[in-house]
Amino acid sequence: MILTFLGTSAGTITTERNVSASLLQLTARSNRLWLFDCGEGTQHQMLKAKISLSKLEKIFITHLHGDHIFGLPGLLASRSLNQHAMPLTIYGPKGIRQFIEMTLNISCSMMTYPLQIVEIEQATTLYKDEQVTIYCDELAHRVQCFGYRIEEAERAPKLDIVKLQTENIPVGSLYGELKKGKIITMPDGKILDGKNYWLGKKPGFKIAILGDTTPCDASIRLASEVDLLVHEATFKHELQEKAQLVGHSTTVDAANIAKICQVKRLIITHISTRYGLSDNESLLAECRQIFPQTDIAYDLFQVNLV
């Protein structure tokens, strides 16, 4: 998986940061593209990151504040100009359908691809196939807001090449059959059980991408033992009271959630416009006092999960 941060600012754009959006590429799964939030200018950021609009498969909206959705109408309309755009599904809180349909109708924008809109009202399993599952849960913000947890299925086992070579089993299409766990009879009568040459399955990655929120039980449920937690850290800890008043988290809040949930890595985003990139180190320092495995997102920052 590759996670690209397309926008990392809270509330409004700055000269250094665009507003909220991040894109998950499931590279081992036919390069599927999932977008989380779509602030103003998201499609421009996708151009910079060389990501194709036409290949977007799903969009997950955390909540209906403008800095998370004002990029949607333009992105959807631009996508219609591509004759090869695949079907698209948008998930979001109740009201997302009205927002999309009204803006597209008023602007006389025509959709040239199938568009499905799914409104979320409570915690649920949103989507599941043989490759990936995505859950949502309701966070604690000033409006209904959801966080998302993505769980990849166990990865196929690798073959023990050294063992195969030690037993003088020739390289070829046979290896592919053994990797599938099949039982093969060799020309000399020797029987090979593919499972005896597996190195074991590798657990799939788990990622939590949370929307705007103060610390809450849902954050803990979504982030429990994930490989990567993406958590807002709108303010420094000195503005804790303000953060609670407006339904946001501080650096310390995000770090505490990461520590409680025993995540492997924390990335903070949704940074207040009062802080520039020059403030990154001081923001990080507050987090790392509590949770050392913390990084701060900036626009077009990519995280590779391999």
Side-chain angles (χ1 to χ4, degrees), residues 26-90:
L26 291 87
T27 55
R29 314 293 185 176
S30 303
N31 204 31
R32 300 160 73 177
L33 303 180
W34 291 2
L35 181 65
F36 292 81
D37 283 333
C38 188
E40 179 184 355
T42 292
Q43 64 171 311
H44 194 197
Q45 296 292 86
M46 290 178 67
L47 282 174
K48 291 180 181 178
K50 296 181 171 55
I51 296 168
S52 172
L53 280 178
S54 64
K55 293 182 179 179
L56 270 180
E57 182 185 56
K58 298 181 184 299
I59 300 177
F60 300 90
I61 300 298
T62 60
H63 64 295
L64 302 185
H65 279 157
D67 58 325
H68 296 255
I69 63 169
F70 282 168
L72 263 178
L75 182 148
L76 297 177
S78 294
R79 200 170 179 271
S80 283
L81 301 177
N82 190 312
Q83 296 181 349
H84 304 291
M86 63 188 296
L88 178 66
T89 303
I90 301 176

Side-chain angles (χ1 to χ4, degrees), residues 29 52 62 72 95 99 108 113 129 173 210 265:
R29 314 293 185 176
S52 172
T62 60
L72 263 178
F99 171 74
C108 298
Y113 53 88
D129 61 23
S173 59
L210 305 190
R265 184 179 183 186

Side-chain angles (χ1 to χ4, degrees), residues 39-163:
E40 179 184 355
T42 292
Q43 64 171 311
H44 194 197
Q45 296 292 86
M46 290 178 67
L47 282 174
K48 291 180 181 178
K50 296 181 171 55
I51 296 168
S52 172
L53 280 178
S54 64
K55 293 182 179 179
L56 270 180
E57 182 185 56
K58 298 181 184 299
I59 300 177
F60 300 90
I61 300 298
T62 60
H63 64 295
L64 302 185
H65 279 157
D67 58 325
H68 296 255
I69 63 169
F70 282 168
L72 263 178
L75 182 148
L76 297 177
S78 294
R79 200 170 179 271
S80 283
L81 301 177
N82 190 312
Q83 296 181 349
H84 304 291
M86 63 188 296
L88 178 66
T89 303
I90 301 176
Y91 303 84
K94 190 170 184 179
I96 189 65
R97 179 185 300 277
Q98 181 184 6
F99 171 74
I100 292 172
E101 291 181 348
M102 183 176 293
T103 52
L104 294 180
N105 287 339
I106 290 175
S107 62
C108 298
S109 300
M110 297 182 63
M111 295 294 97
T112 60
Y113 53 88
L115 176 63
Q116 181 183 11
I117 303 171
V118 178
E119 293 195 322
I120 311 167
E121 297 190 41
Q122 59 187 3
T124 188
T125 300
L126 278 180
Y127 177 81
K128 183 174 183 178
D129 61 23
E130 70 281 358
Q131 299 173 338
V132 67
T133 303
I134 183 161
Y135 308 91
C136 70
D137 207 341
E138 187 170 352
L139 302 171
H141 192 44
R142 289 175 292 143
V143 298
Q144 189 175 47
C145 182
F146 289 93
Y148 299 99
R149 179 184 176 101
I150 306 97
E151 293 189 1
E152 186 184 31
E154 279 190 327
R155 297 184 176 192
K158 292 184 178 181
L159 279 180
D160 189 338
I161 303 298
V162 173
K163 183 177 180 181

Side-chain angles (χ1 to χ4, degrees), residues 8-19:
T8 55
S9 178
T12 187
I13 61 172
T14 72
T15 57
E16 297 176 321
R17 295 182 184 273
N18 205 61
V19 282

Side-chain angles (χ1 to χ4, degrees), residues 143-267:
V143 298
Q144 189 175 47
C145 182
F146 289 93
Y148 299 99
R149 179 184 176 101
I150 306 97
E151 293 189 1
E152 186 184 31
E154 279 190 327
R155 297 184 176 192
K158 292 184 178 181
L159 279 180
D160 189 338
I161 303 298
V162 173
K163 183 177 180 181
L164 288 166
Q165 292 175 342
T166 300
E167 296 183 13
N168 296 316
I169 299 171
V171 176
S173 59
L174 177 65
Y175 278 31
E177 298 299 298
L178 292 172
K179 187 174 181 179
K180 295 175 183 178
K182 292 185 177 181
I183 297 175
I184 305 296
T185 301
M186 300 293 286
D188 62 1
K190 182 178 181 180
I191 297 176
L192 307 177
D193 186 342
K195 294 179 181 179
N196 292 334
Y197 298 91
W198 283 357
L199 287 174
K201 290 187 177 182
K202 182 179 179 181
F205 287 109
K206 298 186 288 292
I207 304 172
I209 300 176
L210 305 190
D212 295 4
T213 187
T214 55
C216 62
D217 290 343
S219 296
I220 295 173
R221 288 192 293 268
L222 289 168
S224 178
E225 298 183 340
V226 296
D227 297 281
L228 175 63
L229 168 61
V230 178
H231 198 295
E232 70 127 299
T234 308
F235 302 108
K236 288 185 177 181
H237 185 57
E238 65 188 12
L239 295 178
Q240 178 77 49
E241 186 174 333
K242 178 178 178 62
Q244 291 180 342
L245 183 65
V246 295
H248 286 295
S249 293
T250 67
T251 50
V252 170
D253 291 330
N256 280 329
I257 291 293
K259 184 176 181 179
I260 290 169
C261 292
Q262 298 181 315
V263 310
K264 291 182 180 178
R265 184 179 183 186
L266 166 67
I267 298 180

